[in-house]
Amino acid sequence: EVAPDALDRGLGIVRRNYEATASRGRITPADVEKRMALIQGTTDWTAIADADIVIEAVFEEMPIKKEVFAKLDAIAKPDAVLATNTSTLDVNEIASATRRPESVIGTHFFSPANVMRLLENVRGARSSKTTVATAMAVGRRIGKVPVLVGVCYGFVGNRMLHQRGLQAEKLILEGALPHQVDKVLTDFGFPMGPFAMGDLAGLDVGWRIRKGRGVKSPVADRICELGRFGQKTGAGYFRYDKGDRTPIPDPDVEKIITEVAAEQSIVRRHIGDEEIRERLLYPMVNEGAKILEEKIAIRASDIDVIWVYGYGWPVYRGGPMFWADAIGLRALRDRMLALKKQTGDAFWTPAPLLDRLADAGKGFLGG
């Protein structure tokens, strides 16, 4: 860590997480002490000089990432693997800050990392086979489900999630409300919807990323400008009673939504659950098709593993690509074309792979 107080705070959170696990009987109090004894905190960069693998987890800002990797490159031993926990940034650009890009790889742990099992390992253009194999082996050894993906904005999971997020924001401007949108996805089988998930992760994370990319999200930005970052501040898209994580619909947020809609001359209307479901999930499948065609993911089942283990996709629905096969790619493609005609929005253009498979009567997973 950069400062002793931040280090103490971080170690305190680790201890509390272990103690919470012990209170549920999953480990013993002795296990808590044993595990804490294995963790050494430091603010001294030279402490990593003998490490076999170093995983960076600083803010999602490229200049900071590159500064850290330049320092790691100067201190770490020659055969050390240098990994970044970035969730969206270009691993190749991060690697360019070092003299050993072959040793750099993305290891995207999912939040909360002590609970979520998915590990998106992001191979850079110059990541060596040894580096890739090491990241995959370490992932398995620490009980994660590692999936190998390529470099693009958001990799696989967040790139698909971004498409869902675009529609979620449009839906609330056009007439739906956050709790309605979320309920459609919890009814589908997700543990939470996009707005409650944003509150859990921290709305300031996305805000910081958007500002870095020069992108705006009118409703989310306005909520963040009020200091409402989600559960950690007691309010985000929803409000939260102290000590309770139950999202409570907030009239103040509804007011922000209606104001932004009016500013954009959007006439709000009733939106049914089926339209919400299609507009949230179909773009994800379409983006998955692009990801496969671009070889960012090796196979459709890898995309499904990412969504089941990292984003709470209901297991019994098999993942987005399996689900799309089950409902029929032709029906999905045709509905997208209908939405494109209805809205005039190129967003609904089917991916070439989706188009070809639909025409051939095939699926992403064969057959």
Side-chain angles (χ1 to χ4, degrees), residues 71 76 101 114 118 203-204 235 250 264 268 279 304 363:
K71 285 184 181 177
N114 61 310
L118 180 67
L203 300 182
D204 53 322
D250 192 336
Q264 297 187 10
R268 290 170 59 79
R279 287 178 58 182
D304 287 343

Side-chain angles (χ1 to χ4, degrees), residues 45 87 111 136 169 188 214 221 227-229 263 279 286 359:
W45 283 80
S87 57
S111 181
M136 296 297 281
E169 176 128 359
F188 183 80
D221 292 350
R228 299 174 62 123
F229 298 148
E263 288 164 14
R279 287 178 58 182
N286 198 46
D359 284 340

Side-chain angles (χ1 to χ4, degrees), residues 22-82:
S23 72
R24 293 191 294 269
R26 291 174 60 188
I27 59 174
T28 67
D31 288 332
V32 173
E33 300 308 321
K34 181 181 176 184
R35 292 180 185 200
M36 290 304 300
L38 293 171
I39 302 171
Q40 290 180 290
T42 185
T43 56
D44 179 7
W45 283 80
T46 61
I48 59 111
D50 293 324
D52 295 316
I53 181 167
V54 182
I55 302 173
E56 158 278 316
V58 299
F59 284 125
E60 282 287 277
E61 294 181 16
M62 184 61 79
I64 301 175
K65 298 279 191 189
K66 291 173 83 168
E67 180 187 339
V68 167
F69 269 77
K71 285 184 181 177
L72 294 178
D73 186 36
I75 297 168
K77 61 186 182 180
D79 59 347
V81 170
L82 305 183

Side-chain angles (χ1 to χ4, degrees), residues 301-320:
S301 57
D302 283 356
I303 295 175
D304 287 343
V305 167
I306 286 168
W307 270 86
V308 167
Y309 283 99
Y311 295 87
W313 184 281
V315 177
Y316 72 95
R317 295 191 188 271

Side-chain angles (χ1 to χ4, degrees), residues 104-213:
V104 177
I105 191 167
T107 51
H108 177 210
F109 288 81
F110 279 67
S111 181
N114 61 310
V115 175
M116 302 301 286
R117 293 191 63 202
L118 180 67
L119 174 62
E120 247 184 345
N121 284 329
V122 188
R123 63 185 188 282
R126 295 179 64 183
S127 300
S128 70
K129 289 181 179 178
T130 301
T131 298
V132 170
T134 300
M136 296 297 281
V138 168
R140 291 190 189 96
R141 189 165 179 182
I142 62 175
K144 298 296 183 184
V145 178
V147 179
L148 187 64
V149 302
V151 174
C152 65
Y153 178 74
F155 315 131
V156 171
N158 280 346
R159 176 171 161 180
M160 292 169 67
L161 185 70
H162 180 64
Q163 302 307 310
R164 190 179 85 179
L166 291 174
Q167 284 302 306
E169 176 128 359
K170 282 193 171 189
L171 283 161
I172 59 174
L173 287 174
E174 291 174 25
L177 288 172
H179 64 270
Q180 181 196 0
V181 172
D182 278 9
K183 186 175 185 302
V184 169
L185 285 196
T186 54
D187 286 351
F188 183 80
F190 278 91
M192 61 178 65
F195 297 108
M197 189 180 80
D199 280 358
L200 174 64
L203 300 182
D204 53 322
V205 177
W207 192 34
R208 182 186 293 271
I209 292 168
R210 286 194 300 278
K211 285 195 283 188
R213 298 182 71 221

